């Protein structure tokens, strides 16, 4: 707006002066425009609020950055401890798995051997007087196997329980670390969809990010100055309207009425109560021309002030959202710090949990290995027992053969003795026939005795070898030979 009465080049013809009604309408419009003073004051309030946000944001950002750097350093140490504990967990799981696989294999071999004993029925002829069939397993005590297996299961369960405790401790520790990292690496800002201040892309330090508020504040101050200048031009225009009305006949009363109820803060240069100073026609004409020109620009100036205040309100909303974002970030970092304190308070127990597992596992592993040696001894005994039974059948077959050979020798001897007996009996009869009549009976009482006879039979108290079928013995021989070939390979 011009709002000036400076001299202008003379014109050929002057337009008709505006009427009092026209000047009054200009004054009314000018008075209405002075309500922009409230927007100017609102602009000052926005700037003060923004300055306050700038101060608090610097403090909040510094606190957040300090906490972040401290948490990051502590997090590095916690990760190192977690990696060590995970290594203990992995090694423990690997050793436990290997021991359990070895145990399962030994247990399966023992079960197979015991199944072999159960499936092997003792020949009924080996147990005369018994009509109930029995297996080889009926002659051994299974309680020793159950006792060893029970002890192994107890040790395995104890080791598994200690491992689960370590696993749970590692899982909880890992969750805490991940939660802290998620807080530190999560997108900065609050959950609401608030507008964020637009800032120029600048390299920034993660610990101390560049705040957009100073640039916004500088822009606000420039807008505030423009608003103040525009308000001054509106006031000058109002003064000019007032002066023009007072210079117009009958305008004094109108000026008094229209200047009542002006907005607070609108400082006028023209005193409405004073009588107007007389001016010349040329000066009055120039004043009216400036007045007419400025009257056309009043609404534009008011809109410009309104645009400035709307922009500042939007900037304030962005700054408020940014500060809320910083507050939210600080709250999250504080939550991460509190969680870090919680982890720190549980750190001793966490480290001790790994040591407890290692100690417990070493103890239970020693017990399991000891019992596995017993299990191997039982398996070796049962394998030997099964093989010994096969060899027993082979031995019975050998003894049967020897008895048969002895019987053949006895039978051959008996045939020879019978032949000798008959030969002796015939010769004795021939002797009695030739000489018996001449010899007195009492010369030798044994003269008429029969030849000496022999009897061959098993000795009393010695049992015969059981009569086991040849097919059973042949199968036992094949098993024994197969076992020998297997042991040689």
């Amino acid at each position: 707006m011009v709002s000036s009465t400076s001299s202008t080049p003379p014109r050929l013809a002057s337009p008709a002066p505006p009427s009092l009604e026209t000047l009054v309408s200009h004054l009314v419009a000018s008075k209405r425009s002075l309500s922009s003073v409230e927007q100017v004051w609102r602009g000052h309030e926005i700037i003060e609020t923004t300055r306050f946000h700038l101060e608090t944001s610097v403090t909040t950002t510094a606190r957040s950055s300090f906490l972040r750097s401290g948490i990051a350093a502590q997090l590095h140490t916690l990760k190192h401890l977690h990696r060590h504990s995970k290594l203990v967990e992995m090694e423990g799981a690997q050793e436990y798995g290997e021991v359990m696989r070895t145990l399962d294999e030994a247990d399966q071999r023992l079960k197979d051997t015991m199944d072999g004993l159960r499936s092997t029925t003792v020949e009924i002829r080996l147990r005369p007087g018994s009509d109930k069939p029995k297996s080889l397993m009926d002659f051994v005590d299974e309680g020793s196997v159950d006792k060893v297996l029970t002890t192994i299961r107890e040790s395995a369960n104890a080791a598994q329980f200690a491992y689960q405790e370590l696993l749970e401790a590692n899982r909880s520790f890992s969750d805490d670390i991940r939660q802290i990292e998620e807080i530190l690496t999560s997108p900065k800002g609050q959950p609401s969809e608030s507008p964020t201040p637009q800032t120029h892309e600048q390299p920034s330090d993660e610990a101390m990010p560049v705040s957009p508020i100073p640039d916004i504040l500088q822009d606000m101050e420039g807008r505030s100055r423009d608003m103040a200048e525009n308000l001054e031009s509106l006031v000058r225009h109002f003064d000019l309207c007032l002066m023009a009305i007072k210079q117009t006949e009958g305008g004094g009363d109108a000026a008094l009425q229209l200047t009542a109820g002006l907005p607070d803060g609108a400082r006028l240069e023209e005193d409405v109560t004073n009588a107007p100073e007389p001016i010349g026609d040329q000066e009055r004409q120039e004043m009216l021309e400036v007045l007419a020109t400025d009257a056309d620009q009043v609404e534009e100036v008011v809109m410009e002030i309104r645009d400035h205040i709307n922009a500042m309100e939007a900037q304030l909303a962005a700054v408020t959202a940014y500060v809320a974002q910083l507050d939210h970030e600080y709250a999250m970092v504080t939550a991460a710090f509190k969680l870090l304190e919680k982890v720190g308070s549980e750190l001793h127990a966490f480290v001790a949990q790994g040591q407890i597992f290692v100690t417990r596992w070493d103890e239970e592993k020693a017990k399991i290995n000891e019992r596995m040696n017993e299990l191997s001894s039982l398996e070796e005994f049962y394998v030997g027992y099964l093989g010994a039974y096969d060899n027993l059948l082979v031995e019975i077959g050998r003894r049967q053969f020897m008895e048969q050979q002895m019987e053949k020798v006895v039978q051959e001897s008996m045939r020879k003795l019978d032949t000798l007996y008959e030969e002796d009996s015939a010769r004795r009869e021939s002797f009695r026939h030739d000489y018996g009549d001449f010899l007195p009976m009492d010369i030798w009482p044994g003269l008429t005795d029969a030849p000496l006879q022999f009897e061959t039979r098993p000795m009393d108290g010695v049992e015969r070898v059981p009569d086991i079928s040849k097919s059973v013995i042949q199968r036992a021989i094949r098993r024994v030979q197969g076992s020998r070939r297997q042991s040689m390979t």
Side-chain angles (χ1 to χ4, degrees):
M1 297 179 67
V2 179
S3 298
S4 174
T5 57
S6 59
S7 61
T8 57
R11 301 186 180 186
L12 298 177
S14 300
S19 64
L20 179 62
E21 289 78 5
T22 301
L23 294 177
V24 169
S25 64
H26 288 335
L27 183 62
V28 170
S30 179
K31 178 182 178 181
R32 187 167 54 248
S33 71
L34 293 182
S35 62
S36 299
V37 69
E38 297 177 358
Q39 295 171 334
V40 174
W41 282 114
R42 174 57 183 161
H44 290 310
E45 292 176 358
I46 290 175
I47 290 176
E48 291 301 319
T49 303
T50 303
R51 288 196 180 104
F52 173 77
H53 284 328
L54 176 61
E55 295 174 359
T56 57
S57 67
V58 170
T59 303
T60 303
T61 302
R63 290 175 177 175
S64 296
S65 299
F66 176 77
L67 286 178
R68 277 181 176 274
S69 61
I71 292 173
Q74 294 298 321
L75 205 57
H76 178 75
T77 303
L78 293 179
K79 286 183 177 179
H80 175 73
L81 292 175
H82 182 248
R83 285 193 297 269
H84 176 73
S85 184
K86 287 292 291 183
L87 181 62
V88 172
E89 174 192 325
M90 294 173 59
E91 292 177 348
Q94 182 178 0
E95 289 185 6
Y96 181 81
E98 292 175 354
V99 170
M100 290 300 103
R101 282 192 295 271
T102 304
L103 174 61
D104 291 340
E105 293 172 358
D107 183 47
Q108 188 60 47
R109 290 195 302 267
L110 180 59
K111 287 181 178 179
D112 293 342
T113 304
M114 294 174 68
D115 290 340
L117 295 178
R118 291 189 184 93
S119 62
T120 303
T121 303
V122 178
E123 291 295 323
I124 193 67
R125 296 179 182 275
L126 295 178
R127 302 172 55 250
S130 175
D131 57 354
K132 182 180 180 181
K134 288 188 175 182
S135 68
L136 291 178
M137 201 64 207
D138 293 328
F139 294 90
V140 295
D141 180 20
E142 294 187 53
S144 57
V145 177
D146 294 337
K147 182 179 180 181
V148 172
L149 291 177
T150 299
T151 304
I152 291 177
R153 280 193 292 268
E154 290 175 352
S155 296
N157 291 337
Q160 181 66 18
F161 180 76
Y163 175 76
Q164 289 297 330
E165 287 185 335
L166 176 63
L167 192 66
E168 183 62 30
N170 279 341
R171 185 181 297 112
S172 176
F173 197 75
S174 177
D175 290 343
D176 289 340
I177 291 179
R178 183 171 58 253
Q179 188 175 354
I180 294 174
E181 286 183 323
E182 288 176 354
I183 292 174
L184 295 180
T185 59
S186 62
K188 301 176 183 178
Q190 53 189 359
S192 62
E193 297 181 357
S194 302
T196 54
Q198 300 296 322
T199 58
H200 299 291
E201 293 294 333
Q202 297 179 0
S204 60
D205 184 8
E206 180 64 22
M208 291 291 289
V210 175
S211 172
I213 298 180
D215 291 341
I216 293 177
L217 181 60
Q218 184 177 1
D219 184 73
M220 284 182 175
E221 290 172 344
R223 292 179 181 275
S224 179
R225 285 192 295 271
D226 290 344
M227 290 169 63
E229 291 174 358
N230 287 336
L231 180 62
E232 289 178 2
S233 66
L234 292 175
V235 171
R236 288 196 299 270
H237 176 65
F238 185 85
D239 287 338
L240 192 60
C241 290
L242 187 61
M243 182 184 296
I245 289 177
K246 290 170 64 178
Q247 294 290 340
T248 303
E249 183 179 358
D253 293 337
L256 287 174
Q257 294 177 1
L258 292 175
T259 54
L262 288 175
D264 295 337
R267 297 184 299 273
L268 304 180
E269 295 180 1
E270 182 70 20
D271 189 352
V272 68
T273 60
N274 295 335
E277 296 180 0
I279 59 175
D281 293 339
Q282 180 66 27
E283 186 178 357
R284 186 173 186 278
Q285 181 63 33
E286 292 176 353
M287 177 186 67
L288 292 176
E289 290 178 357
V290 171
L291 178 64
T293 302
D294 288 351
D296 294 336
Q297 299 177 4
V298 168
E299 187 63 27
E300 180 181 349
V301 173
V302 171
M303 290 300 298
E304 184 177 348
I305 293 175
R306 188 175 302 165
D307 290 341
H308 279 314
I309 196 63
N310 288 338
M312 292 176 70
E313 292 285 3
Q315 288 175 322
L316 178 61
V319 169
T320 303
Y322 176 72
V323 172
Q325 167 186 318
L326 294 180
D327 291 339
H328 175 71
E329 178 189 349
Y330 178 67
M332 295 296 290
V333 175
T334 302
F337 182 75
K338 291 181 179 178
L339 182 56
L340 184 66
E341 286 183 325
K342 169 183 170 291
V343 174
S345 65
E346 300 171 353
L347 188 60
H348 177 73
F350 172 74
V351 175
Q353 190 64 54
Q355 297 173 346
I356 290 173
F357 168 73
V358 172
T359 303
R360 179 73 62 82
W361 171 234
D362 288 342
E363 294 175 353
E364 300 303 333
K365 182 170 59 175
K367 293 179 183 179
I368 291 174
N369 290 333
E370 182 180 354
R371 295 299 178 269
M372 286 180 61
N373 291 334
E374 296 181 11
L375 209 61
S376 298
S377 298
L378 287 172
E379 179 195 355
E380 183 179 354
F381 171 75
Y382 289 150
V383 170
Y385 176 35
L386 187 59
Y389 178 71
D390 287 334
N391 281 277
L392 173 62
L393 295 177
V394 174
E395 174 65 14
I396 290 175
R398 186 194 66 80
R399 293 186 184 187
Q400 284 180 344
F401 175 75
M402 294 306 297
E403 280 191 355
Q404 293 171 0
Q405 295 301 313
M406 290 180 184
E407 288 176 350
K408 290 180 180 180
V409 172
V410 170
Q411 290 173 1
E412 182 66 25
S413 299
M414 290 302 296
R415 284 195 298 270
K416 290 180 178 181
L417 288 174
D418 288 343
T419 301
L420 290 174
Y421 179 80
E422 292 175 358
E423 181 183 351
D424 188 25
S425 296
R427 296 190 66 172
R428 287 187 182 204
E429 183 62 29
S430 176
F431 178 82
R432 285 196 303 271
H433 182 269
D434 294 339
Y435 304 105
D437 292 340
F438 303 101
L439 293 174
M441 294 296 295
D442 56 355
I443 193 171
W444 179 37
L447 179 63
T448 59
D449 290 345
L452 181 63
Q453 287 186 310
F454 292 88
E455 181 181 3
T456 304
R457 61 182 178 80
M459 295 180 59
D460 295 335
V462 179
E463 296 182 359
R464 294 182 63 87
V465 177
D467 186 15
I468 306 299
S469 66
K470 291 184 179 180
S471 60
V472 173
I473 294 175
Q474 288 299 323
R475 287 195 296 270
I477 291 174
R478 287 194 293 270
R479 288 194 295 270
V480 169
Q481 291 175 347
S483 177
R484 289 175 179 173
R485 285 194 297 270
Q486 185 176 3
S487 62
M488 293 175 64
T489 57

